[in-house]
Amino acid sequence: MAFMFYGGERIDGEGLDSLTIKDPATGEEVAEVPRGGAGEVDEAVRAAREAFLKWSRVPASKRGQMLLEAAAAVEAKTGELAPVLVSEQGKPLREAKLELHAFVRTLRHYGGMAKNIRGGYVPDLDTDTYGMVVRRPLGVIGAIVPWNFPTTLLANKLGPALVTGNTVVAKPAETTPLVTTRIAEIMHRAGLPAGVFNVVTGRGSEAGEALAAHPLVRKLAFTGSTPVGKMLVGKAAVNLKRTTMELGGSDPMIVCDDANLQKAASAASVGRFFNCGQACLAIKRVFVFDAVADEFIETLSEKVGKLKLGAGIEKGTMIGPLHTSGGREEVEEQVQSAVDSGAKVLHGAKRPDGPGFANGNFYEPTLLVEPSHSSKVATEEVFGPALPVWRVGDLDEAIERANGTPFGLGSSVWTADLNRASEAAERIEAGYTWVNSPQVVYDELPFGGWKESGYGKEHGIEALDYYTETKAVVVKRHQR
Ligand code: NAD
C-alpha cells in the first residue's frame, strides 16, 4: 500500500479503504493508496496550521534556501520518479521527465524570489506619521490538483505559497497520487520542516470537498474542470476563503495568410497532441485564412500522420493512452458529433488496432476539417487527441470565432503583420496570447484564465499576491 504524507510522516491509512491506481496503457494495477477523507484532511490541516506558526516567521531568505534545496533533492530523483509518473498517468517517458523538470524549475523560480518580496512605504500621511503596505501570508493553503500534470500544477501553488510563508495541504487527483506523495517526502527529507507541505490522498468528493470546506484553510488553490471549480467556490465560501480557479479551456489558434505555415503547423501539432491532448492549455480549435487553408491543412496533416502512438514507457512513443476509459469515451462522443455534423476526417477518429493497444485507453490522433460550429468540438472543451480546423475569411471573423466559447485560457496567432498580431492580442478574450510562438508557459509571466476558465494568477511575480494578504500599517513617530 502506498502512503499519504503529512505532519512530516508517512501515513499508511490503516483501517481506511483504498483506491486502486491503474496503468492507463495496460489496465494493470500499479498500487493501492489510502482513501483519505474528512478525518485525514483535518489531521493534515491541523499539522499545517501548527507548522505555519513557525514557518511564517522563518526569514524569507532561509525559506527560499530551503525551497532551492528541496528542488535539488527532487531533481536528483527525477530518474526514479519519471517512470512512476508514466505508470500512473500514461504520458510518454520523455514528457514525464520534462514535467518533473518543470516542477523543479518553478520551485527554483520562487525560491529565488525570496529576497525580493517587499511592500510599500507612504511618507507624510499626517504630522510625524507614515504608512506601510505590508504583505503577510494567509495561513494554510488547500491545493487541489488534477491528473494531467500532477506535479507542475502543484509546483505552481507550492512555490509562491511556501516562499511567502504559507503551508500547504495538497489533494492530488485520485488516479495520480503516487509521485506527489513521494515528492512531499523527498522535500521533507531535504529539510522542509514537518507540516509545511502535506499530502492527503483520496477522492475529490470526499477528501477534496473536506479540504475546500475546512475552516482552518485560508485559501483554496484549485486546478481542474470548470463545473467542479464552480461548485468548490461555494464550499470555500464557508469561511470566505480566498480562491484561485485554474479551469478548463478551448484555446483558439488563428493562422493568417502571411503566416509561416510550416512553423504554425508544427505548433498546432505539438500544441494539440502533447500529453495526448489532455492539457488545459492546448490548441483545441484552429481558424485558418481561406487563402492558405489547403496548404496549411496538408502540412498539418503530414505532421499528424507521423505521430507515433504507444505505451508511455516504450521508446519512441509520441502519444500515450488517454488517462481514463471515461475520458476516451467522452472524446469519442465529441468526435462523433463532429463527424455527424459533416466534418471531413483526415486522420484517426477511431481506436487503434493491434495487441499493444488492446487493454489501454488508446485513441488515434484525429484531425477534423470543417465540423459544424455547433458540434461538440466547437462548443465544448475537448480533452484528448482531436483537432478541428475551420476556414475563415479574415481576422474579424477569426477573432469572433475565437471568442465564441465560455472559455478564455490561452490563444495564439500566426502572422507576419505586427498590426494584425497586436490587434488579435488585444481583442482575444484569454489570459495568454502567443504570437508566432508555440504555447510555452514561462515561469516569468502571469498565467490564468478569463471568463469561465477561472480567475487568479499563477506564475510570474503576480502569483505572490494571491498567497498574501495586504495590510496597511500606520506609524506615528512620537507618542504625543
Ligand atoms: P476535475 O475537476 O474532475 O478534478 C480535478 C481535481 O479536483 C482532482 O484532484 C479531483 O479529485 C478534484 N475533485 C473532483 N471532484 C471534486 C469535488 N466534488 N470536490 C473537491 N475536489 C474534487 O478535473 P479533471 O477532469 O481531473 O481535470 C481536467 C480539467 O482540468 C480540464 O477541464 C482542464 O482544462 C482543467 N485544467 C485546467 C488547468 C489550468 O491551469 N487552467 C490546468 C490543467 C487542467
Side-chain angles (χ1 to χ4, degrees):
M1 178 98 127
F3 52 89
M4 301 187 262
F5 194 86
Y6 54 80
E9 286 174 21
R10 285 185 174 198
I11 309 287
D12 61 13
E14 207 184 308
L16 291 177
D17 286 345
S18 61
L19 299 171
T20 304
I21 308 305
K22 289 189 175 162
D23 185 331
T26 60
E28 282 165 18
E29 182 176 326
V30 175
E32 297 269 322
V33 293
R35 181 173 149 193
E40 289 67 39
V41 165
D42 187 55
E43 285 174 6
V45 169
R46 286 180 190 283
R49 177 71 203 173
E50 205 184 310
F52 169 72
L53 299 175
K54 293 189 193 132
W55 180 248
S56 56
R57 313 213 42 194
V58 169
S61 60
K62 195 162 173 208
R63 286 199 299 257
Q65 187 55 34
M66 286 192 201
L67 259 187
L68 295 176
E69 282 161 19
V74 174
E75 186 173 48
K77 297 273 185 197
T78 302
E80 221 173 274
L81 294 171
V84 181
L85 183 54
V86 173
S87 72
E88 63 178 341
Q89 206 283 338
K91 62 183 64 194
L93 186 60
R94 192 184 62 86
E95 291 186 19
K97 286 182 184 161
L98 282 176
E99 178 177 338
L100 288 161
H101 175 68
F103 174 90
V104 170
R105 198 190 57 214
T106 299
L107 283 200
R108 287 199 168 123
H109 173 72
Y110 286 104
M113 270 186 193
K115 291 184 182 170
N116 290 301
I117 299 170
R118 55 186 64 187
Y121 167 73
V122 184
D124 308 326
L125 277 179
D126 206 335
T127 311
D128 278 348
T129 306
Y130 65 91
M132 290 187 293
V133 183
V134 174
R135 298 204 75 98
R136 298 302 300 150
L138 295 161
V140 179
I141 308 296
I144 299 183
V145 180
W147 46 263
N148 57 343
F149 296 95
T151 68
T152 46
L153 299 172
L154 175 66
N156 295 352
K157 298 157 183 55
L158 211 49
L162 297 191
V163 79
T164 47
N166 302 278
T167 54
V168 171
V169 177
K171 208 295 288 168
E174 40 271 65
T175 48
T176 53
L178 300 177
V179 169
T180 308
T181 31
R182 288 188 196 187
I183 282 179
E185 186 176 46
I186 292 167
M187 290 176 70
H188 173 59
R189 291 212 176 132
L192 218 54
V196 168
F197 171 35
N198 310 274
V199 180
V200 178
T201 58
R203 291 194 171 149
S205 55
E206 297 169 355
E209 283 194 28
L211 188 60
H214 200 293
L216 285 180
V217 174
R218 292 286 309 283
K219 173 190 167 120
L220 177 67
F222 176 75
T223 300
S225 62
T226 296
V228 173
K230 286 181 182 173
M231 187 276 291
L232 288 180
V233 172
K235 298 269 173 207
V238 65
N239 61 335
L240 289 184
K241 278 183 190 64
R242 306 302 179 245
T243 52
T244 297
M245 292 284 142
E246 297 289 356
L247 309 177
S250 185
D251 296 3
M253 174 194 208
I254 297 175
V255 182
C256 300
D257 51 8
D258 54 356
N260 180 324
L261 299 183
Q262 276 293 341
K263 291 211 161 134
S266 289
S269 176
V270 175
R272 170 70 279 198
F273 297 104
F274 185 77
N275 204 30
C276 194
Q278 303 163 119
C280 55
L281 272 183
I283 293 171
K284 294 181 181 145
R285 298 171 296 140
V286 174
F287 301 103
V288 54
F289 279 33
D290 244 331
V292 292
D294 288 343
E295 190 183 341
F296 173 77
I297 290 167
E298 201 186 316
T299 313
L300 177 58
S301 178
E302 262 172 41
K303 293 186 190 293
V304 175
K306 288 182 188 151
L307 296 172
K308 187 174 172 309
L309 195 60
I313 209 68
E314 279 167 19
K315 219 172 165 203
T317 291
M318 295 159 87
I319 302 190
L322 279 110
H323 182 57
T324 62
S325 57
R328 176 170 64 173
E329 280 161 24
E330 202 175 330
V331 173
E332 284 176 325
E333 245 179 60
Q334 291 167 321
V335 168
Q336 192 56 48
S337 150
V339 172
D340 292 345
S341 79
K344 189 169 168 198
V345 178
L346 295 189
H347 287 283
K350 61 181 170 64
R351 298 179 184 192
D353 297 324
F357 300 120
N359 299 316
N361 309 315
F362 294 97
Y363 192 72
E364 288 190 4
T366 296
L367 185 60
L368 303 160
V369 178
E370 293 287 341
S372 129
H373 287 291
S374 58
S375 66
K376 290 184 177 187
V377 293
T379 59
E380 297 178 358
E381 177 182 33
V382 178
F383 218 59
L387 181 59
V389 180
W390 289 273
R391 293 160 188 272
V392 287
D394 57 21
L395 192 63
D396 278 339
E397 188 192 347
I399 292 175
E400 197 187 323
R401 292 281 180 212
N403 288 340
T405 75
F407 299 110
L409 198 54
S411 58
S412 52
V413 59
W414 289 76
T415 176
D417 180 342
L418 188 59
N419 291 326
R420 273 177 173 168
S422 39
E423 187 180 343
E426 275 171 24
R427 288 175 57 197
I428 295 175
E429 297 164 347
Y432 232 112
T433 298
W434 285 268
V435 177
N436 298 326
S437 164
Q439 302 214 142
V440 177
V441 175
Y442 292 93
D443 283 321
E444 295 88 329
L445 294 174
F447 164 79
W450 291 14
K451 294 159 67 179
E452 294 193 25
S453 290
Y455 54 79
K457 297 294 169 204
E458 295 191 329
H459 293 291
I461 200 159
E462 286 79 358
L464 301 179
D465 292 349
Y466 292 87
Y467 288 89
T468 48
E469 201 81 87
T470 305
K471 169 181 283 202
V473 177
V474 175
V475 179
K476 236 179 171 10
R477 264 194 288 269
H478 307 289
Q479 296 189 53
R480 37 174 199 243

